[in-house]
Amino acid sequence: MPKNHRGRKNKAAVMANSTFRDTIATVDGQGKRNWIYAKQPKGRWYNIRSWVSLLYFSVFFSLPFISINGRPLFMLNVVEGKFILFGAIFWPQDFFIFGLAMLAFILFIVVFTMAFGRLFCGWMCPQTIFMELLFRRLEYWIEGDAAAQKMLQQSPWNTNKIMRKTGKHIAFYALSFLIANIFLAYVIGAKALGKIITEPLSAHTGGFIAIIVFSGVFYGVFAFMREQICTIVCPYGRLQGVLLDRNSILVAYDYERGEPRGKFRKDDSRAHGDCIDCMQCVKVCPTGIDIRNGTQLECVNCTACIDACDFMMEQTGRPKGLIRYASENGIASKQKLRFTPRLKVYSGVLVVLLTAISFMLGSRKPVSGTIMRTAGMLYQERGTDSLSNLYRIKLLNKTGRDIPLGLKLENENGVVSMIGNAVIHIKAEGQGEGTFFIVLPKASVHQRKSTLYIGLYEHNKRITRLRTTFLGPVQ
């Protein structure tokens, strides 16, 4: 639903505009796919996004190969349930942290979108970055700009068309194959990927099949699906109608200044608005929409229309910014984009959320475990003045070093009596277990079940503590 109907002047202009959008840009009147030939953007915002993309690509292609103390810096091994984030290992036992982090992340997305619109889609979304700043650039280099691509598509199958089309799809698949390998390195690690590449195929059939499947998926997405991922598959665009309001920042057309539209003439008396109806904003749009129709589901805030419009405004002697980052209220009241109290509050909430997520990840203990009292056994009497319970402890070392752990009773005047070795040695990224008695004086046991805390100590440093219960006689 367009949002430029609020002004009387603008409403009249929209009603008079015969090209007003009443269909999906990527589907024609017969319901068939309308292929988008987007003109290559040029301008200040596109240059900034190009530099951002270079940083993005350098991180994406290098991150899985960076190691700290022999451990990957970043790995999401869903097969083994082993996740490494910036050198810290997370196991299935840590999923409660991921659950809380995911809830905080969802809230982060909601608040971020309410404040800054689809800024993420245009600047950091992998689909947009890879499609617009890698694959489409490769397409421009092989087939030419949008007009040349359309002419090539409509031309008969001659040598030139066969070579260009074949070359493009070979390049697309080769690039997809490379991305698939990097993607797999994030899942299984660079060392495991190296074994798949260097060792015989028969030893890693599953890994090879995974690479081929991922390559096919990426090739299909970037060669054929393209903008359909944003308009049909991705649910984030559909959240706009719920999350955005009139104060959200988005790429917007200033209808107060631009309407009514009129073709540019040198002797124009400026009876029309600043929009010269050149359609350049539509020609550069990667999803094929007309930004002048207001906020739309397909808009990914890529800023291509801003650069195209600014160029035309310069050429015709009009001020830039007819299409710009703005809010609906900002356009209606003709105010410049500013850091409003609302944005300050939302930004503060974002900082709090990021701090909370960082705290949850940073406060995670290097060793986790469970203490289980032996089932089916009551307490045991020791002499005339003590009682004992038998326990079994299982520990998980989340670090990359061996840890020797000793057990101490924290909150009662009793002792921990280990069976076997007094110290439990846990190997790096491994598990350990032990059996022990907790011995308490009878005078300390006042109820059927008492809560006890066992401290886990590496030498004299407490790593963490675990909770258990002590079973005593009925009082």
Side-chain angles (χ1 to χ4, degrees):
M1 176 65 71
K3 296 186 178 181
N4 58 351
H5 60 286
R6 295 180 175 87
R8 185 181 303 171
K9 171 183 66 176
N10 185 55
K11 183 176 181 179
V14 170
M15 292 177 65
N17 183 10
S18 61
T19 61
F20 173 69
R21 175 194 178 195
D22 58 0
T23 59
I24 300 175
T26 55
V27 177
D28 62 17
Q30 289 72 41
K32 296 182 179 179
R33 171 80 176 273
N34 183 23
W35 194 266
I36 302 298
Y37 296 95
K39 183 179 178 181
Q40 184 172 14
K42 294 178 182 178
R44 180 171 67 97
W45 288 105
Y46 186 71
N47 293 336
I48 296 174
R49 289 178 63 226
S50 297
W51 284 107
V52 172
S53 69
L54 287 176
L55 176 62
Y56 186 97
F57 294 143
S58 63
V59 171
F60 175 80
F61 287 107
S62 64
L63 194 58
F65 303 99
I66 300 175
S67 298
I68 299 178
N69 298 324
R71 181 190 300 168
L73 183 65
F74 195 90
M75 185 175 75
L76 301 174
N77 193 334
V78 294
V79 178
E80 299 178 2
K82 178 181 177 182
F83 303 90
I84 301 177
L85 303 178
F86 305 106
I89 302 178
F90 295 86
W91 297 90
Q93 292 86 344
D94 298 313
F95 275 4
F96 76 97
I97 296 180
F98 277 97
L100 294 176
M102 283 301 298
L103 290 176
F105 181 69
I106 292 172
L107 184 57
F108 175 90
I109 292 176
V110 171
V111 175
F112 186 89
T113 305
M114 290 173 66
F116 302 103
R118 296 186 71 178
L119 192 67
F120 170 82
C121 294
W123 290 86
M124 292 304 296
C125 176
Q127 168 67 20
T128 304
I129 295 291
F130 278 104
M131 184 69 245
E132 302 304 322
L133 297 165
L134 191 59
F135 282 87
R136 207 182 287 273
R137 277 185 171 180
L138 186 61
E139 188 174 54
Y140 290 141
W141 181 66
I142 296 174
E143 293 189 354
D145 205 346
Q149 293 176 25
K150 188 177 294 186
M151 290 180 62
L152 183 68
Q153 182 66 26
Q154 295 173 352
S155 67
W157 283 96
N158 51 32
T159 303
N160 176 61
K161 183 173 181 177
I162 292 174
M163 290 184 63
R164 289 183 183 274
K165 288 290 186 181
T166 303
K168 183 186 81 170
H169 285 280
I170 290 176
F172 272 24
Y173 188 83
L175 193 54
S176 300
F177 184 80
L178 173 62
I179 295 173
N181 278 267
I182 302 299
F183 179 79
L184 193 60
Y186 277 97
V187 177
I188 64 176
K191 293 181 179 179
L193 177 65
K195 291 181 179 180
I196 295 175
I197 296 173
T198 58
E199 294 181 0
L201 176 61
S202 58
H204 303 282
T205 306
F208 178 74
I209 292 175
I211 292 176
I212 297 301
V213 170
F214 285 143
S215 299
V217 170
F218 290 130
Y219 171 70
V221 166
F222 295 115
F224 301 104
M225 290 292 292
R226 300 161 79 98
E227 76 285 341
Q228 302 282 33
I229 296 296
C230 301
T231 59
I232 297 176
V233 178
C234 180
Y236 185 49
R238 288 165 174 77
L239 292 175
Q240 286 187 103
V242 178
L243 300 179
L244 298 184
D245 59 27
R246 290 179 58 84
N247 293 305
S248 300
I249 296 174
L250 39 81
V251 173
Y253 165 66
D254 189 346
Y255 53 84
E256 292 288 348
R257 173 186 152 190
E259 301 296 335
R261 307 167 195 172
K263 296 296 183 180
F264 173 72
R265 296 181 179 85
K266 289 185 178 181
D267 57 348
D268 192 358
S269 59
R270 301 296 293 272
H272 297 94
D274 279 349
C275 179
I276 61 174
D277 208 16
C278 61
M279 301 296 290
Q280 292 302 308
C281 58
V282 180
K283 293 177 180 178
V284 298
C285 181
T287 58
I289 66 170
D290 188 342
I291 192 64
R292 297 172 296 177
N293 288 335
T295 302
Q296 297 158 64
L297 177 149
E298 299 94 327
C299 180
V300 295
N301 284 206
C302 69
T303 70
C305 55
I306 297 180
D307 284 329
C309 186
D310 283 350
F311 175 78
M312 296 305 298
M313 291 297 101
E314 284 184 327
Q315 297 301 307
T316 57
R318 289 165 166 81
K320 296 188 294 185
L322 181 60
I323 300 175
R324 62 183 186 274
Y325 276 116
S327 65
E328 290 275 350
N329 280 336
I331 290 176
S333 59
K334 299 182 179 180
Q335 295 179 353
K336 291 184 178 180
L337 186 63
R338 59 189 180 90
F339 207 56
T340 62
R342 174 180 177 274
L343 288 182
K344 292 179 182 178
V345 172
Y346 283 174
S347 299
V349 174
L350 294 180
V351 171
V352 171
L353 289 176
L354 289 175
T355 303
I357 294 173
S358 301
F359 176 77
M360 286 190 294
L361 296 178
S363 61
R364 187 184 64 101
K365 303 299 182 181
V367 175
S368 64
T370 56
I371 297 177
M372 298 166 288
R373 191 170 53 80
T374 304
M377 291 189 63
L378 301 176
Y379 62 91
Q380 301 86 37
E381 293 191 355
R382 291 204 172 193
T384 59
D385 61 349
S386 299
L387 301 174
S388 67
N389 280 190
L390 180 62
Y391 298 86
R392 188 169 188 82
I393 185 171
K394 291 186 178 182
L395 300 169
L396 175 64
N397 183 358
K398 304 173 184 177
T399 70
R401 59 185 178 86
D402 296 348
I403 297 180
L405 286 180
L407 277 59
K408 293 182 181 180
L409 189 60
E410 296 278 292
N411 63 326
E412 290 288 347
N413 185 23
V415 296
V416 174
S417 177
M418 299 294 300
I419 298 177
N421 294 328
V423 176
I424 302 175
H425 292 274
I426 317 174
K427 293 184 178 180
E429 301 180 19
Q431 297 182 359
E433 59 182 34
T435 306
F436 62 93
F437 286 98
I438 294 180
V439 183
L440 296 180
K442 283 185 178 180
S444 300
V445 181
H446 303 293
Q447 50 189 350
R448 178 65 171 171
K449 277 189 177 182
S450 303
T451 300
L452 302 179
Y453 292 95
I454 306 297
L456 306 183
Y457 286 80
E458 181 183 9
H459 305 301
N460 293 322
K461 178 183 178 183
R462 191 177 79 175
I463 302 298
T464 186
R465 71 174 187 173
L466 302 176
R467 180 179 179 275
T468 188
T469 58
F470 186 90
L471 186 64
V474 178
Q475 298 297 319

